[in-house]
Amino acid sequence: MRLVIARCSVDYAGRLTAHLPSAPRLILVKADGSVSVHADDRAYKPLNWMSPPCTLKEGEEDGVGVWTVVNKSGEKLIITMEEVLHDSSHELGVDPGLIKDGVEAHLQELLADRMETLGEGWSLIRREYPTAIGPVDILCRDAEGTTVAIEIKRRGEIDGVEQLTRYLELLNRDPHLAPVRGVFAAQEIKPQARVLATDRGIDCVVLDYDALRGIEDDKLRLF
């Protein structure tokens, strides 16, 4: 990961345009190629960003450093560096991922052991399938042989859909796995998360913890 603190202005050109006037900001360049611009507030949310896959080109105009970040759709994030205050790079390695609570971890174990509950002919490839941005809860194949990435949550919210979206973008670059579709599975799925998942072509599955444990009818509801 590269961390740059600089006085800079930022311009975005794509489906619409946006401009951030000159100010000191933190710029993060991650190993997955993403670039994000942060202020000293807003918690974790960046002021502007470019998701992978994208390319970063560092140049100079009239003696001033200019970064141009371009994604696959041709959208551009242009960062004009007026003064660089700090520039460092750090190798973080593969993150072990979030430690799940007992219910979430058990849901993953139960579902991986009983893939047929998602449909006849479903088969497990691997639990905790490793990627450069963290492990995918379950990687499997459906009855047609299509690769499926499953993200499991106790409570399904928008952040979980975003997380699965990032995994899918990465997995679909692997010709041995692509095409890869997604399933967002949780005991409860918030309406906003369901809308976002549907918009991105991700299926939602409501998991019944007791049913998976064999206490009640062994059924999943696929919406």
Side-chain angles (χ1 to χ4, degrees):
M1 178 183 290
R2 183 179 178 187
L3 297 87
V4 177
I5 298 175
R7 178 173 293 279
C8 62
S9 60
V10 183
D11 291 278
Y12 170 81
R15 288 165 290 182
L16 42 83
T17 59
H19 174 71
L20 293 172
S22 176
R25 297 188 175 94
L26 168 65
I27 305 166
L28 298 181
V29 183
K30 295 187 178 181
D32 63 2
S34 64
V35 178
S36 56
V37 181
H38 298 259
D40 199 10
D41 61 3
R42 298 164 61 92
Y44 63 89
K45 188 174 181 180
L47 295 165
N48 216 326
W49 68 94
M50 193 69 80
S51 300
C54 57
T55 58
L56 167 62
K57 181 180 179 181
E58 297 183 45
E60 190 173 296
E61 292 182 10
D62 299 325
V64 178
V66 177
W67 289 15
T68 303
V69 188
V70 183
N71 67 11
K72 62 181 180 181
S73 300
E75 298 169 310
K76 293 182 180 181
L77 190 67
I78 301 169
I79 307 172
T80 302
M81 303 287 197
E82 299 169 13
E83 181 184 9
V84 177
L85 306 172
H86 175 86
D87 188 345
S88 64
S89 297
H90 307 270
E91 180 59 53
L92 303 185
V94 177
D95 191 271
L98 182 68
I99 303 300
K100 302 177 185 297
D101 65 31
V103 171
E104 202 168 297
H106 199 201
L107 280 170
Q108 181 194 124
E109 180 182 353
L110 288 168
L111 188 57
D113 190 51
R114 304 169 73 179
M115 295 303 305
E116 70 277 2
T117 57
L118 289 173
E120 186 178 351
W122 286 58
S123 60
L124 177 70
I125 295 176
R126 179 172 173 175
R127 287 176 55 196
E128 299 289 334
Y129 185 88
T131 77
I133 57 176
V136 177
D137 286 341
I138 292 177
L139 196 70
C140 60
R141 296 193 190 280
D142 64 17
E144 287 71 43
T146 301
T147 309
V148 183
I150 304 177
E151 179 64 27
I152 298 174
K153 299 292 183 186
R154 187 158 56 89
R155 177 177 297 173
E157 299 183 351
I158 284 177
D159 284 353
V161 179
E162 294 284 8
Q163 182 180 0
L164 179 54
T165 299
R166 292 193 293 270
Y167 287 144
L168 290 172
E169 287 178 352
L170 196 63
L171 292 170
N172 272 299
R173 298 183 209 168
D174 186 339
H176 299 292
L177 297 175
V180 185
R181 66 184 186 91
V183 169
F184 188 52
Q187 287 180 283
E188 173 192 1
I189 299 178
K190 296 294 184 180
Q192 300 93 330
R194 188 183 297 280
V195 169
L196 181 60
T198 301
D199 182 67
R200 295 182 176 179
I202 295 171
D203 290 331
C204 291
V205 173
V206 176
L207 299 174
D208 188 321
Y209 183 55
D210 288 338
L212 278 173
R213 294 172 64 199
I215 295 175
E216 298 176 357
D217 288 341
D218 189 1
K219 292 181 181 178
L220 299 176
R221 297 185 295 281
L222 179 59
F223 297 90

